[in-house]
Amino acid sequence: MYNWFKSYLSDRKQFTFVNNINSNGAVNNYGVPQGSVLGPLLCLIYINDIFNITNLSSLKLFADDTNTFVTSKHCKELTVKANDTIAKLHQWMTANKLCLNADKMCFIIFNKSPKNNDEDILNLNGKT
């Protein structure tokens, strides 16, 4: 079984096809082959430990989308927990050769008493 998976994942090449022209193939030693029968299973195995990164939030995954739910009765504590979760997600993704796209990140705060608070700022690598 090990040799079968090894042969499936080793020496894979990727290329781009544009205007009926193929680019040169490049060896890809990371990631899960897209469009393959084993792709979804291998992806689940690859990211299975993401749920261990923090106990400050709850993670929900769907395909390539990750949602995290952080709760607190105090905005300041919520901000600290959320920023800690984002930092840990970034660290996990970097260690696993994945990318956390800050431009696609968004958040919403549900609060009984509506008010703006300048302390409620989320950061990823110094980017607000």
Side-chain angles (χ1 to χ4, degrees):
M1 185 68 82
Y2 169 77
N3 287 335
W4 181 62
F5 271 109
K6 183 178 174 184
S7 70
Y8 181 74
L9 296 172
S10 297
D11 299 320
R12 290 182 294 116
K13 291 188 176 181
Q14 66 183 25
F15 67 94
T16 303
F17 180 74
V18 178
N19 295 329
N20 292 321
I21 299 172
N22 287 338
S23 68
N24 293 329
V27 176
N28 184 0
N29 294 316
Y30 301 101
V32 175
Q34 289 184 318
S36 64
V37 174
L38 288 177
L41 174 63
L42 292 175
C43 182
L44 289 174
I45 292 168
Y46 190 73
I47 65 168
N48 191 42
D49 67 332
I50 194 170
F51 294 100
N52 299 329
I53 63 166
T54 183
N55 61 356
L56 297 177
S57 67
S58 169
L59 291 174
K60 304 293 180 203
L61 304 178
F62 180 77
D64 64 347
D65 190 31
T66 304
N67 290 285
T68 182
F69 297 88
V70 183
T71 60
S72 177
K73 294 185 184 240
H74 308 285
C75 286
K76 196 173 227 175
E77 180 184 29
L78 181 68
T79 301
V80 169
K81 285 181 171 182
N83 277 311
D84 184 66
T85 299
I86 290 168
K88 287 180 178 172
L89 269 172
H90 178 69
Q91 181 181 19
W92 182 92
M93 289 188 160
T94 300
N96 287 280
K97 311 255 188 272
L98 297 171
C99 227
L100 184 60
N101 189 340
D103 293 331
K104 290 186 176 182
M105 290 175 60
C106 59
F107 71 95
I108 186 168
I109 297 175
F110 296 99
N111 190 346
K112 289 181 183 177
S113 56
K115 63 179 178 178
N116 288 335
N117 189 342
D118 289 341
E119 296 174 12
D120 300 333
I121 296 173
L122 302 180
N123 293 290
L124 174 61
N125 287 343
K127 182 177 180 181
T128 302

